[in-house]
Amino acid sequence: MGKRNISIIIGVLVLVLGLFVAKGIFKPDSKDASGGKNFELKIAYEKIKSSEKPSIIIFSYDADCCPSTKQFFNEYNKKARQLMKDYEKQFETLFINTGILEEKDQQVLINIAKENGVSRLPSILLRDSTGKPFKVIEGPFDDAEVRKIMDGMVE
């Protein structure tokens, strides 16, 4: 792995940890698999790894800073959640809101990102039915393109 890739991964990890510290809260009433009193990222991820179905894992954030960033993440998260809902029967799904994870889940998040080649927020990780990373889509995504990839994975 090149120095640039290592720098990017370290930068993302620092950003994620910084967002957690800056936000300093979690949402116990969250319907995402990314917060709440009983949620454990490690258990949710192990479930996905052991499933015989392909999976989609969304790495995102609920931005509360500048208006343009907040708008970007609101739109991204809405589109990503709809994608997950539309494919919930064919795919295991997990939405990780990196800004509200409890401290015990931070190292798990870092390990998941490293293990699957996720280096920035937001990202969509598609894993095949054998549990191997299939594709990482970083940043904004084309909904039709992602759906085409997912449809190909379940055929």
Side-chain angles (χ1 to χ4, degrees):
M1 191 182 305
K3 287 182 182 178
R4 183 172 187 266
N5 288 342
I6 291 171
S7 296
I8 290 171
I9 289 172
I10 290 171
V12 167
L13 299 177
V14 168
L15 173 66
V16 168
L17 293 174
L19 291 173
F20 173 73
V21 170
K23 193 123 181 175
I25 63 169
F26 66 96
K27 299 176 185 173
D29 61 332
S30 174
K31 293 185 180 176
D32 298 335
S34 59
K37 294 179 181 174
N38 297 320
F39 174 76
E40 288 196 34
L41 182 56
K42 184 175 184 176
I43 292 170
Y45 184 62
E46 290 301 322
K47 178 184 175 203
I48 281 181
K49 284 177 66 171
S50 65
S51 176
E52 294 182 6
K53 294 181 357 183
S55 59
I56 178 172
I57 302 174
I58 307 293
F59 297 81
S60 193
Y61 176 67
D62 283 334
D64 59 0
C65 51
C66 69
S68 62
T69 302
K70 185 175 183 171
Q71 180 181 1
F72 169 80
F73 276 101
N74 286 345
E75 290 173 7
Y76 182 94
N77 293 341
K78 181 180 177 183
K79 197 163 75 167
R81 286 183 180 111
Q82 185 62 50
L83 187 69
M84 291 171 64
K85 182 180 177 188
D86 291 347
Y87 284 88
E88 66 187 353
K89 290 184 178 152
Q90 298 106 330
F91 282 76
E92 292 291 339
T93 63
L94 178 60
F95 185 94
I96 303 173
N97 183 338
T98 60
I100 63 172
L101 289 176
E102 292 187 27
E103 189 173 330
K104 66 181 172 50
D105 290 322
Q106 291 298 319
Q107 187 59 49
V108 176
L109 172 64
I110 292 167
N111 293 341
I112 293 170
K114 283 182 183 177
E115 181 180 315
N116 293 285
V118 175
S119 61
R120 58 181 252 204
L121 292 175
S123 289
I124 296 174
L125 167 63
L126 298 171
R127 294 172 55 98
D128 65 21
S129 59
T130 67
K132 293 184 180 159
F134 182 78
K135 184 162 183 77
V136 176
I137 302 158
E138 297 180 325
F141 66 94
D142 180 319
D143 191 64
E145 180 183 329
V146 174
R147 288 174 185 273
K148 184 177 179 181
I149 294 167
M150 293 174 74
D151 289 340
M153 291 175 71
V154 292
E155 288 181 350

